[in-house]
Amino acid sequence: MLQTVYRWIDERLEISPIIDHALKKRVPDHKHSAWYYWGGICLFFFMVQVVTGILLMIYYRPGPDAYDSVRQITYEIRFGWLIRSVHAWSANLMIGAVFVHMFSVFFMKAYRNPREFGWWSGLALLALCMVFGFSGYLLPMDELAFFATRVGLAIPDALPGMSQLISALLRGGPEVSSATLQRFFALHVVVLPAIFVPLLGFHLWLVQKHGNALPPSEEAKPAAERRSIPFFPNFAMRDMAVWLMALNLLALLVALFPLQLDVAADALKPAPVGIHPEWYFMSQFEALKLLGHVIPGTLGEFVGLGVFGVGMGMWAAIPLFDSRVTTSLRARLTTWFGLLFLAALILLTIIGYIEVL
Ligand code: HEM
């Protein structure tokens, strides 16, 4: 019966070459193989986001009623707190997993020819994840969300000409208001998914096309000494086991630290002390603050944003700079650059938290 259905579909859609390709796919097996799970972990959390996001949309009401609808979801609707907490925790875990995935790809030098587009599409996905986080943060319209968004939007305001653009496009006026909320909602549930999903499809298609990259230590070995395992069922089963661990971690965090709701935002009240962005914006926030001590005022922010721009450009250009030989000076310089970048991110985040807590 199943075979008849399969043949009926195959005659029309010719799916058997795709199935054959998937069944033949192999994954390198070596001492760094555990890093291959991280892309899948990002994917798992993304799927959790889609499902819980759709469930939240059933009760969330963008507009003047937003805060009240989130209060109902959190304290009145059955399991509403669970869905909201899972959505928020999974967002944080997803961004954390994307960072781990990016640095593991970096240190395995998996951005090299022919995987440059994997690197670039990945960077775009990371940027989109961060905008997802920033836009989602405002949606409850509580005090914390309101002031964090106000601070966040004030940063690009420092760039010449940006203030009007941000007021017109994002904030919907000179101050964060329900017009901003409406825009952020559209961004969060329509614009970002519409860009993210096809880009993710492209990213995953590239992985199928090129297969998993070998780290330099494995590439140095003769081909006969390299080991690999079939993707189906061996690696897929391991992937599932890792997803189960990710689900357990998520459940634990949600049960122990369910998301709360602050008081409703009030633009007339002064900002609460120690207002700070989410952890994944903390290093940039702190870098701007430190630079502000050296070059005060708008010029400091302007220089800071310029430095970020150049830094991101260099990070994106890595596959062009270090494209082939593992033992070259360029390869070593790139590894040092990555180590320095990682250390700066961690250090600035820690200093940022010490200052605000
Ligand atoms: C939502 C975000 C992302 C998702 C869902 C995702 C998903 C995946 C998956 C499932 C794989 C195959 C398994 C693996 O090698 O881990 C992969 C590979 C890859 N990803 Fe991502 N990824 C994301 C973000 C990124 C970022 C931020 C970068 C780097 C800037 C990146 C660069 C790459 C590269 C170069 C590969 C190929 C690795 C190899 O050949 O071994 N990805 N990604």
Side-chain angles (χ1 to χ4, degrees):
M1 170 75 174
L2 268 179
Q3 263 191 345
T4 317
V5 173
Y6 178 77
R7 221 172 304 125
W8 190 89
I9 296 174
D10 193 32
E11 273 165 19
R12 282 149 188 87
L13 302 179
E14 294 180 4
I15 53 168
S16 48
I18 304 169
I19 305 260
D20 286 349
H21 175 81
L23 290 177
K24 277 196 213 118
K25 184 177 150 81
R26 296 185 74 84
V27 178
D29 190 27
H30 47 75
K31 62 176 189 279
H32 303 296
S33 287
W35 298 112
Y36 294 140
Y37 297 128
W38 284 91
I41 298 175
C42 303
L43 198 60
F44 169 76
F45 286 127
F46 178 65
M47 290 188 296
V48 173
Q49 288 312 94
V50 174
V51 175
T52 50
I54 292 173
L55 290 175
L56 284 172
M57 273 222 297
I58 298 175
Y59 290 104
Y60 179 75
R61 297 186 296 273
D65 222 13
Y67 177 81
D68 210 40
S69 69
V70 176
R71 194 191 48 72
Q72 277 174 356
I73 291 173
T74 315
Y75 302 113
E76 287 170 19
I77 292 156
R78 235 204 254 181
F79 296 118
W81 70 272
L82 181 68
I83 302 299
R84 180 173 171 237
S85 299
V86 168
H87 195 72
W89 270 114
S90 167
N92 280 290
L93 291 175
M94 176 172 166
I95 297 186
V98 174
F99 271 108
V100 174
H101 176 51
M102 177 175 77
F103 279 104
S104 66
V105 160
F106 175 84
F107 288 115
M108 293 226 274
K109 300 210 176 275
Y111 49 75
R112 284 178 167 171
N113 184 356
R115 293 182 177 78
E116 294 90 338
F117 281 100
W119 180 253
W120 293 325
S121 55
L123 277 185
L125 288 173
L126 171 62
L128 289 174
C129 283
M130 292 175 82
V131 185
F132 257 123
F134 185 66
S135 55
Y137 203 59
L138 179 68
L139 300 185
M141 247 336 199
D142 58 3
E143 194 169 64
L144 195 68
F146 175 83
F147 284 104
T149 307
R150 187 144 97 173
V151 173
L153 285 182
I155 295 172
D157 260 355
L159 290 178
M162 279 302 270
S163 182
Q164 289 95 323
L165 197 70
I166 285 180
S167 284
L169 273 181
L170 268 181
R171 206 166 20 222
E175 181 56 276
V176 173
S177 65
S178 56
T180 322
L181 183 72
Q182 198 70 36
R183 283 162 165 76
F184 274 39
F185 180 68
L187 194 66
H188 196 77
V189 304
V190 181
V191 181
L192 291 173
I195 307 172
F196 194 91
V197 172
L199 196 64
L200 180 59
F202 176 62
H203 192 74
L204 298 179
W205 172 72
L206 287 174
V207 180
Q208 299 316 312
K209 186 169 165 53
H210 298 306
N212 288 93
L214 285 173
S217 58
E218 281 298 299
E219 257 192 350
K221 285 186 188 168
E225 282 178 32
R226 294 180 199 154
R227 285 181 298 129
S228 67
I229 58 168
F231 183 81
F232 281 116
N234 305 46
F235 192 80
M237 293 297 272
R238 294 184 190 185
D239 249 344
M240 292 301 113
V242 171
W243 286 17
L244 209 57
M245 287 183 220
L247 182 64
N248 274 286
L249 174 66
L250 182 59
L252 205 69
L253 288 169
V254 166
L256 293 179
F257 311 106
L259 204 65
Q260 301 300 320
L261 187 65
D262 209 353
V263 293
D266 182 352
L268 299 176
K269 276 206 322 215
V273 276
I275 199 89
H276 62 85
E278 286 276 72
W279 64 268
Y280 41 89
F281 287 116
M282 192 53 127
S283 56
Q284 299 95 303
F285 184 66
E286 184 56 30
L288 280 181
K289 229 160 76 181
L290 290 179
L291 203 75
H293 294 316
V294 187
I295 315 171
T298 317
L299 182 66
E301 284 191 23
F302 185 60
V303 173
L305 292 174
V307 172
F308 286 157
V310 173
M312 286 326 296
M314 283 168 74
W315 193 241
I318 274 169
L320 304 177
F321 180 73
D322 173 21
S323 58
R324 266 192 190 282
V325 190
T326 299
T327 49
S328 68
L329 175 67
R330 280 178 178 226
R332 269 174 287 142
L333 276 178
T334 308
T335 306
W336 277 109
F337 176 60
L339 281 171
L340 216 71
F341 181 42
L342 180 59
L345 278 187
I346 296 174
L347 206 71
L348 284 168
T349 307
I350 294 174
I351 300 175
Y353 273 103
I354 291 175
E355 280 190 6
V356 293
L357 293 180

